[in-house]
Amino acid sequence: MKLPSFTRYDWLLQLTALPVYIIIYNWLIIGDNYWQSWATFGMATGLAVVVSLSNWYTISFINLEVRSRYVTLQHYTKRAVPGFIMASVSSCLHYSLLFLLYQWVNLPGFEPDPFRLGLVLLISVIAVAIITAIYEGIHNFEYWRHSRRKADQLTKAQLQVQLDMLRQQVNPHFLFNSLNSLISLIDEDPRQAGAFAEELSSVYRYLLRSNEAPLVPLTNELEFIQSYYHLLKTRHGKSLTLVTLIPPSAENRQIPPLTLQLLIENAVKHNIVLPDQPLTISLIADEQRLVVSNNLQRKSSPVLSNGVGLSNILSKYQILGQPVPTVEDDGQEFRVTIPLV
């Protein structure tokens, strides 16, 4: 059983409300005799403190359980009504017990009066209603503040993703390498240079249109990856291999644009790609997920990164409210599992 965890609001209510309750309830149960004897005042106050604290902890536990099941603002009635009923029952039982304790200990000056007990129970129910309203107001305010903070964080993440996508669209490093490869091909193999230029055009056309929609069909992303892979293959030759195993049933599923390109780019950027140390990148999917993996052969010197990569992809899925991708590194293989929307 989880004990109630008091917030600063709980402590504030306890310090201000409980002393008032104890004094008023004792005066209503005992009458003016409550003030006329130190023995009566001390015993009654001590017993009332114990019973009131027990009641407060019980109500706090009830509220904790109810709120853990019904959190959102839409669950207001499901949270408030059962909480109010159970807290009222707890208060009535505790103060009925207090009334019986005064009889049992023969409290000096105490004369049992059912009317006084009924009045105390009525006031207890009213007090519970007021406190329930206060707690609901505090809960709703905290929920609103948390939602506002989360919305602000997602807005910032979305802006960062858009900025990263713009950076990716005009990646000067990639363009520089591609143009160098094209220049060398013009003299060596003009026909291949023409094919390379067409693929480069397709790649940049897709890059420039990538921010038009938050999701794209997987088949579109795969077509783009083939053009992108053609450019990489021209530079690295047999040192780089892309294996694609995508069932037709998964091709109509969707992913954020440039997801595959970012993962392939990271794999090439952070690993050695040489004829005697070839890099193999695999794209394997089913109807629910796509796994992008590559053999690990990290470069000895750290690679300068502009921060566009996994964090970008994770932010996109977070903004879309989808399960985030998982990353695994067993020392031999690096895998990223991407949910298909």
Side-chain angles (χ1 to χ4, degrees), residues 35-329:
W35 312 101
Q36 296 177 1
S37 168
W38 282 108
T40 301
F41 181 83
M43 288 179 63
T45 300
L47 289 173
V49 167
V50 173
V51 171
S52 296
L53 286 176
S54 173
N55 182 46
W56 194 278
Y57 268 90
T58 302
I59 293 175
S60 298
F61 177 76
I62 292 171
N63 287 330
L64 185 69
E65 287 297 311
V66 172
R67 288 176 191 169
S68 66
R69 298 185 183 186
Y70 306 105
V71 179
T72 64
L73 297 179
Q74 290 77 9
H75 291 150
Y76 172 80
T77 54
K78 292 183 179 180
R79 182 174 60 248
V81 174
F84 166 73
I85 293 174
M86 290 187 285
S88 297
V89 171
S90 173
S91 294
C92 290
L93 290 176
H94 275 86
Y95 288 109
S96 296
L97 174 64
L98 183 64
F99 186 85
L100 295 175
L101 282 175
Y102 288 165
Q103 286 184 280
W104 183 64
V105 299
N106 293 320
L107 183 72
F110 171 69
E111 296 180 3
D113 185 346
F115 174 77
R116 288 181 176 273
L117 175 61
L119 184 60
V120 167
L121 298 184
L122 176 62
I123 293 176
S124 296
V125 172
I126 295 173
V128 167
I130 295 172
I131 292 175
T132 300
I134 292 173
Y135 268 109
E136 281 302 315
I138 293 172
H139 175 83
N140 292 341
F141 174 75
E142 290 291 339
Y143 183 85
W144 171 83
R145 190 169 67 172
H146 175 74
S147 300
R148 182 65 181 271
R149 188 185 307 117
K150 186 175 181 180
D152 290 341
Q153 291 173 347
L154 288 177
T155 300
K156 291 179 180 178
Q158 187 173 18
L159 291 174
Q160 185 62 47
V161 167
Q162 292 174 352
L163 177 61
D164 291 341
M165 290 179 69
L166 288 174
R167 289 174 179 169
Q168 187 66 19
Q169 289 170 358
V170 292
N171 189 331
H173 181 71
F174 173 73
L175 180 60
F176 178 77
N177 287 337
S178 298
L179 291 176
N180 277 343
S181 299
L182 179 60
I183 291 170
S184 63
L185 284 173
I186 290 175
D187 293 332
E188 297 176 6
D189 190 340
R191 185 175 180 181
Q192 187 179 3
F196 184 89
E198 289 181 5
E199 298 293 354
L200 181 61
S201 175
S202 298
V203 166
Y204 266 89
R205 184 164 54 249
Y206 188 87
L207 289 173
L208 292 173
R209 294 170 50 190
S210 61
N211 61 350
E212 293 179 357
L215 291 168
V216 295
L218 180 58
T219 182
N220 291 5
E221 190 81 353
L222 291 172
E223 289 175 4
F224 162 68
I225 286 302
Q226 291 303 319
S227 296
Y228 182 71
Y229 173 60
H230 180 88
L231 302 183
L232 295 176
K233 188 71 172 176
T234 302
R235 287 171 49 199
H236 299 287
K238 296 182 179 180
S239 302
L240 180 65
T241 302
L242 178 66
V243 178
T244 304
L245 297 174
I246 310 293
S249 58
E251 291 182 352
N252 291 328
R253 303 301 292 270
Q254 296 182 309
I255 62 173
L258 302 184
T259 297
L260 300 182
Q261 186 268 335
L262 288 172
L263 294 175
I264 292 174
E265 180 188 42
N266 276 356
V268 174
K269 180 190 299 182
H270 295 283
N271 290 278
I272 297 171
V273 187
L274 294 173
D276 58 339
Q277 291 181 282
L279 180 68
T280 300
I281 302 173
S282 300
L283 307 180
I284 303 174
D286 55 29
E287 294 185 0
Q288 302 296 326
R289 61 180 187 170
L290 185 148
V291 179
V292 182
S293 61
N294 62 269
N295 56 310
L296 275 176
Q297 40 196 33
R298 291 189 178 93
K299 295 179 179 179
S300 56
S301 58
V303 177
L304 180 62
S305 175
N306 59 9
V308 178
L310 285 175
S311 61
N312 185 308
I313 297 170
L314 296 177
S315 296
K316 288 180 183 179
Y317 274 88
Q318 185 181 19
I319 291 170
L320 293 169
Q322 297 291 330
V324 296
T326 58
V327 180
E328 300 173 90
D329 181 352

